[in-house]
Amino acid sequence: MGSKYRFPSLVMLLSLLLVLVSILSLFTGSADLDYSGIFESGSGSNIIFFSLRLPRLFAAVLAGFALSLSGLLIQSASSNDLASGNIIGINAGAGFAVLLFLVFFPDLFFLLPFAAFAGGLVAAAIVFAISAFTRNISPSNSLILAGIAVNALFNALISTLSSLFPDVMASYSSFSVGGFASVYASSLSVPAILIAAAGVMCFILVPVINMIRLGDEITASMGYRPAAIRIMLTSIAALLASSVVSFAGLLGFVGLVIPHLSRFLSGGEAGKSMVTASLAGPLLVVSADLLARTVISPGELPAGIFLAIVGVPFFIFLLVRRKKHG
């Protein structure tokens, strides 16, 4: 097949796989559906389908889309292909802000996405500030090291909150891994709007992302300020990742695995990589959630466990490959 048709064929294949997995997710679970009763208001099948499974599928698609684009932006802004929201502390910062907000403002649940964004943005700012002051270490490595430290700090703060406020933190273990067991339609409206807006900004900024990946000198020679672009991209990435934290907890590794896969499949151009990530990310997360609901049915595991099973070996592989190539 010629290169002219490769990318459209890839998009069609990923779209088809996503549709198939989504249909399987809607009609598979611990409770059997009476298909004739799905559209019968008030029936058990109607409630399960429209109040539980459909919002859960929408949440998984949202999470996959947002985390994948967030990872692409972070890797572009940092010039480090090992960076992602969960590795450099953005997810943990957002998670700490969410839990802190639940402790002191439990009645203002609709503001959780904004609290998460603030926490993720603070974490990202700390990471980039530390990285900027570690001049004796290469910028790409200093970012990862600073991110690991900030990630550990916010995770320690989350654990402290869980100890001080056990009632509010009763679901901390599932929150820390990430999943969709407690997702309802009412908790998705604000994150969906924020993610949609940030997604539009991502595609508008495709030319800038292509340029910043070529290096600061080329970016500056074309009249742009590299530092300002990095701050803008990181802020959008924090908004995407933090919005997911507000309803799905600390899901990890989607923003690491999918950007690499997308660049490999699409050839590295930012626009094509984003389209690929927009489909591959939801496909991965929906598949992980489907496994989480069916592996030990009628019980359930957090979807984040299956994402970690994929992500941790992939991260180790990237580290080994980077070591071999200097």
Side-chain angles (χ1 to χ4, degrees):
M1 183 180 294
S3 58
K4 177 180 178 181
Y5 301 102
R6 176 181 293 179
F7 181 68
S9 298
L10 173 64
V11 171
M12 289 178 62
L13 176 61
L14 289 174
S15 300
L16 178 61
L17 289 174
L18 179 58
V19 170
L20 291 175
V21 173
S22 298
I23 292 173
L24 193 60
S25 177
L26 286 173
F27 292 97
T28 304
S30 57
D32 294 328
L33 290 178
D34 175 11
Y35 300 131
S36 63
I38 289 178
F39 296 100
E40 183 181 331
S41 180
S43 68
S45 294
N46 177 272
I47 293 172
I48 291 171
F49 188 86
F50 287 102
S51 298
L52 298 177
R53 291 188 185 173
L54 199 58
R56 185 166 183 158
L57 172 62
F58 182 57
V61 170
L62 268 182
F65 173 82
L67 293 176
S68 299
L69 293 189
S70 175
L72 272 172
L73 293 185
I74 291 172
Q75 291 176 12
S76 299
S78 64
S79 300
N80 190 323
D81 289 346
L82 293 177
S84 67
N86 67 301
I87 290 173
I88 70 169
I90 289 178
N91 288 20
F96 173 68
V98 165
L99 296 181
L100 193 67
F101 201 81
L102 287 174
V103 169
F104 293 105
F105 307 101
D107 297 330
L108 301 178
F109 191 83
F110 65 96
L111 292 177
L112 279 183
F114 301 101
F117 173 53
L121 199 59
V122 168
I126 295 173
V127 168
F128 277 94
I130 295 174
S131 178
F133 284 101
T134 53
R135 298 177 181 175
N136 58 330
I137 306 175
S138 68
S140 60
N141 289 333
S142 67
L143 182 82
I144 293 296
L145 294 174
I148 291 172
V150 171
N151 195 50
L153 170 63
F154 280 109
N155 278 322
L157 292 174
I158 290 173
S159 297
T160 302
L161 280 180
S162 68
S163 299
L164 294 176
F165 303 94
D167 293 337
V168 177
M169 307 305 167
S171 60
Y172 166 67
S173 59
S174 59
F175 177 85
S176 65
V177 178
F180 305 97
S182 302
V183 170
Y184 299 100
S186 59
S187 63
L188 295 177
S189 54
V190 174
I193 293 171
L194 295 177
I195 290 170
V200 170
M201 286 189 281
C202 288
F203 283 95
I204 291 174
L205 292 172
V206 162
V208 175
I209 296 169
N210 279 323
M211 182 172 53
I212 197 69
R213 289 188 68 89
L214 296 176
D216 288 0
E217 291 185 3
I218 294 177
T219 303
S221 69
M222 298 186 69
Y224 292 91
R225 297 173 57 190
I229 292 175
R230 294 182 195 281
I231 291 172
M232 178 176 58
L233 294 182
T234 303
S235 299
I236 298 172
L239 177 59
L240 286 164
S242 302
S243 296
V244 174
V245 171
S246 70
F247 65 83
L250 304 181
L251 286 175
F253 296 106
V254 180
L256 175 69
V257 174
I258 295 300
H260 281 271
L261 179 64
S262 300
R263 284 192 294 268
F264 173 76
L265 292 175
S266 62
E269 195 274 328
K272 291 183 178 180
S273 296
M274 281 190 185
V275 173
T276 306
S278 298
L279 295 168
L283 177 60
L284 174 62
V285 177
V286 172
S287 300
D289 185 53
L290 180 60
L291 286 172
R293 292 191 288 116
T294 56
V295 166
I296 59 169
S297 182
E300 181 173 330
L301 293 169
I305 289 177
F306 294 95
L307 294 174
I309 289 173
V310 174
V312 171
F314 188 80
F315 183 62
I316 295 172
F317 164 75
L318 291 177
L319 286 174
V320 172
R321 190 180 70 170
R322 171 169 285 203
K323 179 69 174 178
K324 286 183 178 179
H325 291 82

